[in-house]
């Protein structure tokens, strides 16, 4: 991350983390405690809840086809992914998640956090990250949406709905080999 | 014949090793170097930080595990401002394992440009012809046949032809291709004649020792007759350090891809001020078209046809203009480009079998810089030039025009929000693309420069034999040696150059 961007990111993310910790004005109640989640490696239960809400917003159930992010627990996959990442990346990812959680408060000045918004408002808020003035927010949007798109559409339960027949090697046996 | 030695395996007990020639990185440059040296009777060790992936049980055609294991930083490396996703291989065989197999040699005009403007006096097209022939032989280069052209490629060609634009079926390095379509995450049918399938087996047969999951972390005593290279072994996943050992080598050949090469040399305290500078990322813009009939672009050779009408070769500028090439991949990678949240993004992906897609390859000037952060990890600083942005907009317009001429219902440029065009009447909207960081998803597959060769240490990082200035027998032999972008595709240029540089090294030692 660019030093300028990174500094700005750390300030923004740090602010959100401070809010998360309730250090500024005791606002942690806004977010509320998340239920315990067993087996997490990197994310806290609150961060897991936020990422699951982002995933659900990005890839909701229904619409063009039934499965959505909630069917595959993409937040746990993200936690597993982070477990193999260097420490700075894990730290940055945590800050980014906190920033999204407190996004409605920091950027829209609404006294509510992302996980507590109704689904329509979550979609409007998250879509706004892709086109936001702040470069940091756009970068976070792309990072998360890349991860979500990759893992969701790599799932075999999604393939019939996007007319993808699955890995072709398995279909190879029925096809004659080409001449060299 | 030696076997590949996997340092992550339980029984591997690192002892310090000795060799005459240590090659770091097993891709197009390093794989070729190890093979030529070993066949010349030299005592060679080849180190690779990635794992060894061959055959259908390891190359599973699944996005998540394959990006995780075959790509540097799991496919997540970006430029500092995150505008460009910098893709490169991290596996035995390097980028050759995950590339699209296009064979495009260095154009005569580019050799002329380097001779005239970069002091590459010894490297004329004529002088390099025999090395190019060797590279083409290594690759079993052959022209893609008409029967191998899938619907996705036919559509782009149809559009180009309707507009009277020039294009061609490309040369490639596939033999016995089954048209499985997953070239970008490895070929389970072993159809690619890449370094893993050609150079590395030959190097092993000739006695080279090959270690995987072994990352070189530092080169010490670079001015001494014998260098000491520190090596970190990695676990089976390739992301956690396990052990350390050292290699005592007379010659060290660094071929770790421009980003990896510069990072290793800088972390070793080596190189002059030019090291890390003049980096070309050759950013590519993806574009997709929704067609009225099924395309099923995921089946067949992904990249067969290139629209070359607008590509320019100039002995005073090098490669410029742009080209458009059809491409497709597995669903995960396409899904990762959809920057539209909610039901709208899903609706787009639900039409996957009706989607045609291309990459627009827009050569750049070498304006980037590779540095290392405090934690030793590389950082690529790259700002898109205004001239590149202008050319990119022209290129996107041309690609969109070609798709509409082929009957597309809609053309989409993956951006946030996506730029959606319903007809040629809307082409002017392309002018609104600013390419500001975080507004569009660009891809780099052809990183070059960073350790350019030259006649003077004031303007280059290595001399014309590839030796890093200020060292004794530390050489660079990969995509970082080029003074500017070498070709629209870099595998063949790098293999050509590796043959030339290593031939000189062998001749010198003889
Ligand atoms: C998705 C994609 C598609 C492409 N398509 C084409 C195409 O169709 N045609 C074409 O001509 N080119 C293509 N290319 C580009 C081409 O594959 C690369 O330019 C080429 O492989 C680079 O060769 P190299 O020797 O410089 O490095 P690489 O081939 O990248 O090899 C470098 C190796 O060094 C290893 N390494 C790095 N650091 C260390 C270390 N410290 N210790 C040990 N090992 C280390 C890496 O793991 C890697 O395996 C494509 C590239 C990509 C990413
Ligand atoms: S198209 Fe399929 S069989 Fe052919 S090289 Fe690519 S992955 Fe291998």
């Amino acid at each position: 991350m660019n030093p300028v961007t990174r500094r700005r990111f750390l300030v923004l993310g740090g602010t959100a983390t401070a809010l998360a910790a309730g250090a500024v004005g005791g606002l942690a109640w806004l977010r509320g405690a998340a239920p315990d989640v067993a087996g997490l490696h990197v994310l806290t239960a609150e961060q897991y809840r936020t990422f699951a809400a982002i995933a659900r917003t990005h890839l909701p159930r229904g619409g063009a086809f039934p499965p959505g992010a909630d069917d595959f627990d993409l937040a746990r996959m993200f936690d597993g992914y982070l477990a193999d990442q260097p420490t700075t990346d894990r730290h940055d990812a945590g800050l980014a998640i906190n920033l999204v959680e407190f996004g409605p408060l920091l950027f829209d000045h609404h006294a509510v956090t992302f996980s507590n918004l109704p689904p329509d408002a979550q979609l409007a808020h998250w879509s706004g990250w892709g086109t936001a003035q702040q470069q940091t927010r756009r970068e976070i949007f792309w990072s998360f949406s890349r991860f979500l798109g990759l893992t969701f559409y790599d799932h075999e339960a999604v393939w019939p709905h996007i007319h993808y027949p699955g890995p072709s090697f398995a279909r190879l046996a029925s096809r004659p080999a080409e001449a060299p | 014949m030696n076997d590949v030695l996997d340092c992550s395996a339980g029984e591997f007990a690192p002892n310090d090793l000795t060799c005459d020639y240590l090659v770091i990185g097993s891709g197009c440059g390093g794989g070729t170097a190890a093979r030529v040296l070993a066949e010349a009777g030299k005592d060679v060790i080849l180190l690779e930080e990635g794992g060894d992936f061959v055959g259908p049980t390891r190359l599973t055609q699944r996005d998540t595990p394959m990006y995780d294991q075959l790509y540097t930083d799991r496919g997540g490396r970006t430029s500092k401002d995150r505008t460009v996703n910098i893709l490169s291989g991290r596996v035995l065989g390097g980028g050759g394992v995950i590339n699209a197999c296009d064979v495009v040699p260095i154009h005569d005009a580019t050799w002329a440009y380097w001779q005239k403007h970069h002091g590459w006096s010894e490297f004329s097209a004529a002088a390099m012809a025999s090395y190019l022939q060797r590279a083409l032989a290594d690759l079993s280069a052959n022209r893609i046949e008409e029967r191998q052209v899938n619907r996705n490629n036919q559509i782009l060609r149809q559009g180009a032809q309707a507009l009277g634009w020039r294009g061609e079926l490309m040369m490639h390095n596939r033999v016995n291709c089954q048209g499985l379509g997953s070239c970008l995450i490895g070929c389970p049918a072993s159809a690619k004649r890449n370094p893993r399938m050609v150079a590395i087996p030959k190097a092993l047969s000739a006695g080279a020792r090959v270690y995987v999951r072994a990352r070189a972390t530092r080169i010490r005593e670079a001015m001494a007759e014998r260098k000491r290279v520190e090596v970190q072994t990695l676990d089976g996943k390739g992301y956690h350090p396990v052990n350390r050992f050292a290699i005592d080598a007379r010659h060290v050949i660094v071929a770790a891809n421009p980003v990896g090469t510069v990072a290793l040399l800088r972390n070793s305290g080596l190189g002059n001020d030019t090291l890390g500078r003049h980096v070309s990322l050759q950013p590519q813009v993806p574009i997709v078209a929704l067609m009225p009939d099924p395309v099923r672009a995921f089946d067949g050779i992904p990249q067969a046809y290139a629209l070359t009408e607008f590509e320019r070769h100039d002995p005073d500028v090098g490669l410029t203009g742009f080209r458009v090439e059809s491409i497709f991949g597995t669903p995960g990678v396409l899904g990762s480009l959809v920057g539209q949240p909610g039901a709208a993004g899903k609706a787009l992906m639900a039409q996957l079998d009706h989607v045609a897609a291309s990459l627009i390859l827009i050569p750049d000037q070498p304006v980037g810089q590779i540095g290392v952060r405090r934690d030793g990890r590389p950082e690529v600083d790259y700002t898109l030039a205004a001239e590149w942005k202008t050319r990119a907009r022209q290129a996107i317009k041309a690609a969109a025009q070609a798709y509409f001429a082929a009957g597309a219902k809609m053309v989409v440029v993956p951006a946030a929000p996506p730029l959606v065009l319903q007809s040629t009447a809307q082409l002017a909207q392309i002018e609104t693309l600013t390419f500001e960081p975080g507004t569009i998803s660009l891809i780099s597959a052809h990183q070059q420069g960073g350790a350019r060769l030259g006649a003077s240490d004031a303007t280059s990082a290595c001399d014309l034999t590839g030796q890093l200035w200020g060292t004794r027998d530390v050489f660079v032999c990969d995509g970082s040696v080029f003074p500017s972008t070498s070709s629209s595709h870099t595998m063949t240029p790098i293999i050509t150059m590796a043959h030339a540089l290593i031939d000189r090294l062998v001749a010198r030692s003889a």
Side-chain angles (χ1 to χ4, degrees):
Chain A
M1 197 173 268
N2 168 337
V4 179
T5 313
R6 187 168 159 76
R7 197 177 317 123
R8 200 171 55 224
F9 168 74
L10 291 174
V11 169
L12 282 169
T15 308
T17 303
L19 288 170
V24 180
L27 290 175
W29 64 268
L30 254 190
R31 181 176 64 177
D36 275 351
V37 186
L40 292 179
H41 301 285
V42 177
L43 299 179
T44 63
E46 282 76 21
Q47 287 168 334
Y48 171 89
R49 181 180 60 180
T50 305
F51 196 85
I54 297 169
R56 189 179 310 120
T57 306
H58 201 80
L59 294 157
R61 280 186 174 143
F65 49 88
D70 273 349
D71 292 301
F72 314 127
D73 201 353
L74 299 188
R76 188 174 294 279
M77 275 194 215
F78 191 57
D79 180 67
Y81 170 84
L82 290 178
D84 288 327
Q85 284 296 98
T87 322
T88 42
D89 291 15
R90 292 187 208 177
H91 178 248
D92 287 359
L95 290 184
I97 292 174
N98 291 343
L99 197 55
V100 177
E101 180 65 15
F102 286 92
L105 184 67
L106 290 169
F107 306 113
D108 299 342
H109 312 296
H110 293 151
V112 61
T113 69
F114 185 75
S115 304
N116 295 305
L117 286 172
D120 282 357
Q122 281 177 329
L123 179 60
H125 182 77
W126 176 236
S127 301
W129 281 64
T131 53
Q133 282 296 313
Q134 297 91 346
Q135 183 180 326
T136 307
R137 291 175 68 194
R138 300 197 302 267
E139 288 173 5
I140 291 171
F141 176 87
W142 273 114
S143 301
F144 288 175
S145 73
R146 277 201 188 115
F147 178 87
L148 292 168
L150 185 82
T151 47
F152 181 73
Y153 289 107
D154 186 36
H155 208 288
E156 50 271 68
V158 176
W159 296 341
H161 305 287
I162 57 173
H163 313 289
Y164 174 61
S168 45
F169 193 76
R171 293 182 268 137
L172 183 67
S174 58
R175 217 193 282 176
E178 287 177 13
Chain B
M1 176 167 138
N2 287 335
D3 287 331
V4 172
L5 292 159
D6 187 340
C7 296
S8 71
E11 67 272 21
F12 182 77
N15 277 322
D16 287 0
L17 302 170
T18 303
C19 65
D20 266 352
Y21 292 83
L22 172 64
V23 181
I24 299 168
S26 68
C28 295
T32 305
R35 174 246 175 134
V36 174
L37 287 165
E39 287 184 341
K42 307 295 180 194
D43 169 28
V44 178
I45 291 181
L46 174 62
L47 283 188
E48 169 54 52
E49 76 164 84
D52 187 17
F53 285 77
V54 178
T57 49
R58 299 217 76 195
L59 295 169
T60 60
Q61 301 187 291
R62 295 296 297 267
D63 286 299
T64 313
M66 292 296 93
Y67 277 94
D68 195 75
Q69 287 298 310
L70 306 182
Y71 278 76
T72 311
D73 286 353
R74 310 161 91 177
R77 175 175 281 171
T78 64
S79 57
K80 246 178 173 184
D81 67 9
R82 302 199 182 227
T83 306
V84 189
N85 185 194
I86 301 173
L87 297 176
S88 63
R90 181 185 182 258
V91 55
L92 188 63
V97 174
I98 45 96
N99 77 17
C101 300
D102 305 315
V103 170
V104 186
I106 301 173
H107 196 275
D108 287 2
T110 299
W111 288 118
Y113 169 58
W114 291 343
Q115 278 201 298
K116 200 168 159 188
H117 296 276
H118 291 283
W120 276 40
S121 48
E122 299 157 36
F123 302 101
S124 66
M128 295 299 283
S130 64
Y131 299 114
L132 170 61
Q133 287 315 314
R134 288 196 214 172
L136 296 178
D138 290 354
L139 294 163
S140 304
N142 63 102
R143 183 78 55 190
I144 293 175
E145 294 173 38
E146 188 57 44
R147 68 193 167 89
Q148 296 175 306
V149 182
N150 71 3
R151 184 80 194 111
N152 187 35
N153 283 271
Q154 286 168 8
I155 287 167
L156 181 65
R157 181 171 61 181
Q158 200 180 314
Q161 286 175 346
L163 295 162
W165 291 344
R166 192 179 59 234
E168 63 181 31
L169 290 185
M170 285 189 279
M171 301 274 289
H172 69 160
N173 66 331
R174 299 177 183 90
V175 172
N176 279 336
C177 170
Q178 310 290 326
L180 298 177
S182 64
C183 306
L184 299 182
I185 49 174
C187 176
S190 300
K192 295 175 168 189
R193 310 310 291 158
N194 60 26
R196 175 61 189 91
M197 291 297 141
V198 180
I200 292 167
K202 287 187 174 177
L204 286 164
S205 291
R209 289 166 281 168
V210 178
Y211 293 86
V212 297
R213 299 288 191 219
R215 176 196 290 154
T217 53
R218 196 173 287 268
I219 302 165
R220 294 205 184 272
E221 293 150 61
M223 285 302 285
E225 189 188 350
R226 300 206 67 93
K227 272 87 20 207
R228 192 172 167 79
V229 176
E230 294 173 0
V231 182
Q232 172 88 73
T233 66
L234 302 166
D235 68 354
K237 269 182 168 176
Y239 292 101
H240 302 285
V242 177
N243 235 318
R244 292 196 151 273
F245 67 101
I247 301 177
D248 178 17
R250 193 182 295 268
H251 304 84
V252 177
I253 293 137
V254 187
N257 189 290
V259 180
T261 288
V262 172
L264 175 61
L265 295 173
R266 276 272 173 256
N267 282 328
S268 305
L270 302 177
N272 62 16
D273 287 349
T274 308
L275 180 72
R277 298 180 60 200
H278 310 295
V279 174
S280 159
L281 290 185
Q282 224 186 68
Q284 307 180 5
V285 182
I287 186 163
V288 300
L290 190 62
M291 303 306 294
D293 302 312
V295 181
R296 294 180 55 89
F298 35 75
D299 276 338
I301 288 180
Q303 207 158 50
Y305 174 78
L307 191 174
T308 54
E309 174 75 19
F310 304 98
E311 194 165 70
R312 300 283 175 264
H313 300 279
D314 183 335
D316 282 313
V317 185
L319 176 65
T320 182
F322 61 87
R323 58 158 63 194
V324 186
E325 294 178 353
S326 307
I327 189 71
F328 219 74
T330 25
V333 72
L334 288 146
S336 73
L337 292 173
V338 177
Q340 192 158 28
K346 282 179 73 181
L348 213 59
M349 283 297 287
Q351 304 174 78
L352 188 75
D353 64 337
H354 280 60
V355 164
S358 284
L359 283 169
I360 309 171
L361 286 73
I362 308 152
D364 56 345
Q365 290 302 315
V367 295
Q369 194 159 339
I370 301 167
V372 283
R373 306 187 333 190
R374 230 177 290 157
D375 62 3
R377 291 164 75 198
E379 183 166 68
V380 183
D381 195 356
Y382 187 88
T383 306
L384 295 166
E387 188 277 333
W388 184 92
K389 291 182 188 177
T390 306
R391 223 159 5 107
R393 290 187 199 100
Q394 289 165 1
I396 295 169
K397 270 187 204 162
Q401 269 178 284
Y403 277 124
F404 284 123
K409 293 198 294 185
M410 184 168 100
V411 171
V412 183
V413 181
L419 179 66
V420 180
L421 307 170
Q422 310 287 351
S423 74
T424 47
Q426 295 178 326
L427 288 180
Q429 286 184 28
I430 291 166
E431 291 301 323
T432 62
L433 290 171
T434 62
F435 298 99
E436 285 304 306
T439 62
I440 192 161
S441 197
L442 303 178
I443 294 165
S444 163
H446 303 134
Q447 306 92 43
Q448 295 161 87
R452 54 159 56 164
L453 265 53
S456 151
D457 68 350
T459 53
S460 62
C462 300
D463 68 19
L464 289 171
T465 69
Q467 181 167 261
L468 190 73
W469 292 110
T471 67
R472 177 174 177 186
D473 295 331
V474 175
F475 294 85
V476 175
C477 183
D478 61 12
S480 40
V481 301
F482 297 122
S484 71
T485 191
S486 58
S487 168
S488 59
H489 294 275
T490 39
M491 167 173 67
T492 310
I494 293 167
I495 296 177
T496 304
M497 203 61 205
H499 273 293
L501 292 174
I502 301 303
D503 236 25
R504 286 165 183 227
L505 184 55
V506 170
R508 197 174 84 163
S509 66

